[in-house]
Amino acid sequence: MVPGARAAWGRFARPAPGGLPRLWLFSDPARLPDPRAAMMALPRGAGVVARGLVPGLLRPVAQLARQRGLKLLVAGDGRAALAMRAGLHLSDRRESRGLLPFLIARRAAPGRLILSMAAHGGQRGAARARRLRPDCLFLSPLFPTQSHPGAPALGALRWAALARGLPWPRIALGGITPARLGAVPRCAAGVAAIDGLTPPVARLPQ
């Protein structure tokens, strides 16, 4: 977590009563290719979405997540998620590998494997979520974000309106920083960030 910002994350710093994290760190192949320094600063019970890691990095990230008491989700690869004893995160813009084996394992052990999905405000992601019944949705972008420069943000009012129409816990993603937490809709079940949770020494130049 960015030094001095721990108190700012307030109600999101602890997981929900059912154990689902309210605070999530996303790795990013361009901006945060190695999330381990940022993971070291996360509070116990927070979540990490491992996205775009180079080969060989997933295993040490998974080991660190277990040591730190963090919930790990592997993006886009169900078999890799199972091998790491982790959850799975699905994009709504690209296909995921090994989805069926993961869904079978998840059904056999209810509550053990987290399934999350991305939703970018469109109907396609919502329809897919109704079929797969994820544990949570990452609804984005709430605010303007470097992940999609120039793309229009939903804004708090539209984000909240979309979130209320979705019957799963909705995690706010996109441009989340400690300074913007006060503008996150109250109906958000959590928040996710890259830069907002990344110590300056761990960031790559933009």
Side-chain angles (χ1 to χ4, degrees), residues 5 52 72 82 108 138 158 167 170 190:
L72 177 67
L82 291 174
F138 290 93
R158 188 175 175 209
R170 291 85 55 184

Side-chain angles (χ1 to χ4, degrees), residues 66-77:
R66 286 192 291 272
Q67 293 167 4
R68 298 276 305 150
L70 306 174
K71 299 283 189 181
L72 177 67
L73 306 184
V74 177
D77 192 331

Side-chain angles (χ1 to χ4, degrees), residues 78-79 82 88 96-107:
R79 289 189 176 87
L82 291 174
L88 176 64
S96 297
R97 301 185 298 273
L99 177 57
L100 183 57
F102 182 88
L103 293 178
I104 292 172
R106 181 171 177 258
R107 185 175 299 174

Side-chain angles (χ1 to χ4, degrees), residues 52-175:
L53 300 184
V54 298
L57 186 55
L58 179 57
R59 189 169 297 279
V61 164
Q63 290 173 344
L64 180 60
R66 286 192 291 272
Q67 293 167 4
R68 298 276 305 150
L70 306 174
K71 299 283 189 181
L72 177 67
L73 306 184
V74 177
D77 192 331
R79 289 189 176 87
L82 291 174
M84 296 297 111
R85 293 178 287 162
L88 176 64
H89 175 69
L90 303 178
S91 170
D92 69 348
R93 293 177 173 174
R94 60 181 65 89
E95 293 300 319
S96 297
R97 301 185 298 273
L99 177 57
L100 183 57
F102 182 88
L103 293 178
I104 292 172
R106 181 171 177 258
R107 185 175 299 174
R112 187 173 67 86
L113 297 171
I114 296 175
L115 176 66
S116 73
M117 296 181 63
H120 294 276
Q123 294 302 313
R124 178 174 176 238
R128 191 182 187 201
R130 292 187 184 95
R131 294 195 306 272
L132 298 179
R133 300 182 181 180
D135 295 288
C136 62
L137 288 178
F138 290 93
L139 182 58
S140 68
L142 173 55
F143 304 121
T145 171
Q146 293 184 47
S147 295
H148 305 284
L154 293 170
L157 292 179
R158 188 175 175 209
W159 192 98
L162 289 169
R164 291 190 184 101
L166 300 169
W168 307 276
R170 291 85 55 184
I171 312 297
L173 173 65

Side-chain angles (χ1 to χ4, degrees), residues 14 27 41 122 172 206:
R14 292 187 178 183
S27 67
Q206 302 298 314

